[in-house]
Amino acid sequence: MTTPPLYRRILVRVAGAALVLWAAATVTFLALHLVPGDPVLVLLGGGSGANPTPETIAATRHAYGLDQPLYVQYAQHLGRLLTGDLGVSTSLKESVGTVITEQLPSTLQLTALALLFAWAIGAAVVLLSTGKGTVGRALGSGLETVAAGLPHFWLGVVLLYVFAFRLGWFPVAGGTGFVGLILPALTLAVPLAGYLGQVTRVALLTALDQPFVTSARLRGMSAGAVRARRALRHALLPPLTLSGWAVGALFSSEVVVEAVFARQGVGRALLNAVIARDLPLVTGIVLLIATVYVLVNLAVDLLYAVVDPRVRTPREI
């Protein structure tokens, strides 16, 4: 009996998602345990000048299960995760689920706006420069290369200095509402727009050489309309694939951007948790990022069939 293609694709996706989540949980566990220093001293405020007694250190080590062999700690760690128990943050003394729930809306707003800005900037540069001859294409390609190479930390500081400190158009830090989102979103969007533009440009130039484009031109369609209404749709698959990766990358980059702009969010919570060696909170946020990455890539796969019906299997058409 042949397995239907749709079921097989779902099984492959579920297995891949489980593998990604297991790898994320394992790498996080090992990374935090390989960091030099005693995590118990960090829990007891050793870096702030506290001087806990040996009895207090031993009691704390036992309370958090850190006196167990590493493989036992790892098994207990995976066992809790399998039951959906993310634990309690050792630094904030709150449920990890509660901490993530409080920080997630701010991060989702920033991610969505950054992705929107990146698509708008990338598509505008490609569409405006593709029809301007060799010089226009070279200028557009150069802008995309420069944008893709900009470090988030440097770009965020420059945008803050120019538009917040010098011009006063935006809040310096921690602004609420849409205005407070613009500079952090642009900091995330500009480098991503460079990558999206490079991929879209190559795909668009390939699409412009296809027979259906020649046919549209012979029917009297203008060059701009051919690019925007005919060729662009066929050039969307590569940047759509890149967007699936980009959402996960945006979540990771927000660790830096939320710190630069003093914004609340999952990225800043992750940074503070790593500094405090808060294993439950770090694991919870890393698993959240991995889950978002898996779900967005699944959504991108489904969008393929909408953008280009040629990728559907015969059973699905």
Side-chain angles (χ1 to χ4, degrees):
M1 178 178 176
T2 303
T3 305
L6 181 59
Y7 293 163
R8 187 163 55 229
R9 286 171 57 185
I10 292 174
L11 288 175
V12 169
R13 281 293 175 186
V14 170
L19 183 62
V20 169
L21 295 177
W22 168 78
T26 300
V27 170
T28 304
F29 176 85
L30 292 177
L32 287 182
H33 279 78
L34 291 175
V35 173
D38 191 340
V40 176
L41 295 180
V42 177
L43 286 171
L44 295 175
S48 60
N51 189 21
T53 64
E55 292 76 13
T56 302
I57 293 174
T60 305
R61 197 183 303 281
H62 178 72
Y64 285 97
L66 297 174
D67 54 349
Q68 299 291 325
L70 190 61
Y71 69 90
V72 174
Q73 295 182 45
Y74 177 64
Q76 293 173 343
H77 174 68
L78 288 186
R80 285 193 296 269
L81 294 180
L82 285 174
T83 61
D85 180 12
L86 295 177
V88 177
S89 165
T90 56
S91 59
L92 301 177
K93 312 301 181 189
E94 290 184 70
S95 162
V96 170
T98 301
V99 175
I100 292 176
T101 302
E102 291 173 350
Q103 302 296 329
L104 190 57
S106 174
T107 297
L108 289 178
Q109 290 175 355
L110 182 57
T111 303
L113 190 62
L115 195 59
L116 180 64
F117 280 173
W119 266 96
I121 296 171
V125 172
V126 169
L127 288 175
L128 292 175
S129 61
T130 302
K132 303 299 181 183
T134 304
V135 175
R137 292 180 185 180
L139 182 60
S141 182
L143 285 174
E144 291 158 0
T145 302
V146 171
L150 292 176
H152 290 113
F153 178 79
W154 179 86
L155 181 59
V157 171
V158 169
L159 291 177
L160 264 180
Y161 177 76
V162 174
F163 295 103
F165 286 105
R166 302 294 296 180
L167 299 177
W169 291 355
F170 299 97
V172 174
T176 58
F178 180 75
V179 175
L181 276 174
I182 292 178
L183 289 186
L186 282 175
T187 303
L188 290 167
V190 170
L192 178 58
Y195 289 113
L196 290 175
Q198 289 174 329
V199 174
T200 306
R201 179 181 302 279
V202 172
L204 183 62
L205 291 176
T206 302
L208 287 172
D209 290 333
Q210 300 302 311
F212 68 87
V213 171
T214 304
S215 175
R217 287 171 175 158
L218 291 176
R219 290 199 302 271
M221 186 175 285
S222 67
V226 168
R227 289 196 301 274
R229 296 167 53 186
R230 292 290 186 271
L232 184 60
R233 177 175 179 176
H234 294 267
L236 287 179
L237 289 182
L240 267 180
T241 303
L242 192 60
S243 293
W245 160 83
V247 172
L250 286 174
F251 263 74
S252 304
S253 302
E254 283 165 9
V255 174
V256 174
V257 174
E258 287 176 354
V260 169
F261 289 90
R263 289 185 56 81
Q264 295 298 316
V266 170
R268 195 174 178 191
L270 177 60
L271 177 62
N272 293 334
V274 170
I275 293 173
R277 298 186 67 170
D278 187 340
L279 178 61
L281 185 53
V282 172
T283 303
I285 295 177
V286 169
L287 287 178
L288 168 69
I289 295 173
T291 303
V292 169
Y293 178 83
V294 168
L295 292 178
V296 170
N297 276 278
L298 178 61
V300 168
D301 276 358
L302 297 176
L303 277 176
Y304 279 177
V306 177
V307 175
D308 189 349
R310 294 174 298 178
V311 302
R312 297 178 189 173
T313 63
R315 283 176 178 267
E316 297 173 66
I317 295 177

